[in-house]
C-alpha cells in the first residue's frame, strides 16, 4: 500500500510560478509512472502530466505544454511539477497518482490547492 502526499500549492498572481511535489511512502518510484491530475469545482478531473521513472518519458496535456515541467527530484520517491506562466484557468486541486508500470496498481494522493488570480 503506497501513500502519496502532495505539497507546494498556494495562491499566486497570473504569470507567476509554483512547484508542486509528490512524495511516496515507498522507498522508490523506479517501477512507477507518476501522473498529475487536476480538478476545478464543477468540472471533471483532467490529466495534466506524467513521468515514467525508468525511461524518463514525459507526457503533457496540450493545455500545459511549454509551461509545466514534470521531473524527478534527487530523492527516488519524489516527483515535482514545476509550473510557470500560470493562468487563472490553472486554478484547481492538483492530485498526484502512482501507477505501477507492470501490474497497473494505482494510488492517489489527497490533493493540494492551486489558485491563480487575475
Amino acid at each position: 500500500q503506497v501513500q502519496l502526499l502532495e505539497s507546494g500549492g498556494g495562491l499566486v498572481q497570473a504569470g507567476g510560478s509554483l512547484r508542486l511535489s509528490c512524495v511516496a511512502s515507498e522507498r522508490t518510484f523506479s517501477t512507477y509512472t507518476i501522473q498529475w491530475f487536476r480538478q476545478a469545482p464543477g468540472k471533471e478531473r483532467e490529466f495534466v502530466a506524467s513521468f515514467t521513472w525508468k525511461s524518463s518519458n514525459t507526457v503533457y496535456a496540450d493545455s500545459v505544454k511549454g509551461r509545466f515541467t514534470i521531473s524527478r527530484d534527487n530523492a527516488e520517491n519524489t516527483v515535482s511539477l514545476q509550473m510557470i506562466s500560470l493562468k487563472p484557468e490553472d486554478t484547481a486541486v492538483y492530485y498526484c497518482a502512482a501507477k505501477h508500470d507492470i501490474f497497473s496498481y494505482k494510488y492517489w494522493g489527497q490533493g493540494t490547492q492551486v489558485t491563480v488570480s487575475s
Side-chain angles (χ1 to χ4, degrees):
Q1 180 119 355
V2 176
Q3 293 180 322
L4 304 175
L5 180 62
E6 304 95 334
S7 64
L11 173 64
V12 298
Q13 296 285 314
S17 63
L18 284 173
R19 186 177 181 89
L20 307 183
S21 293
C22 177
V23 181
S25 60
E26 291 290 292
R27 186 171 59 207
T28 178
F29 275 141
S30 63
T31 57
Y32 287 85
T33 291
I34 310 303
Q35 302 169 309
W36 284 96
F37 295 82
R38 66 188 183 186
Q39 187 168 24
K43 295 184 177 180
E44 300 255 320
R45 184 168 58 190
E46 65 174 326
F47 171 80
V48 175
S50 69
F51 177 86
T52 299
W53 198 278
K54 183 177 295 184
S55 63
S56 295
N57 183 59
T58 59
V59 179
Y60 297 95
D62 288 342
S63 59
V64 305
K65 284 181 180 177
R67 300 188 299 117
F68 290 12
T69 302
I70 188 170
S71 62
R72 71 178 73 185
D73 281 6
N74 290 332
E76 291 186 341
N77 65 342
T78 304
V79 168
S80 294
L81 183 69
Q82 179 67 51
M83 307 183 294
I84 65 171
S85 301
L86 284 163
K87 306 173 181 179
E89 51 263 44
D90 295 319
T91 295
V93 177
Y94 284 69
Y95 300 89
C96 69
K99 179 182 181 299
H100 196 276
D101 293 332
I102 303 299
F103 299 107
S104 297
Y105 300 128
K106 193 168 184 176
Y107 305 93
W108 291 86
Q110 293 298 117
T112 185
Q113 177 71 48
V114 171
T115 303
V116 184
S117 62
S118 299

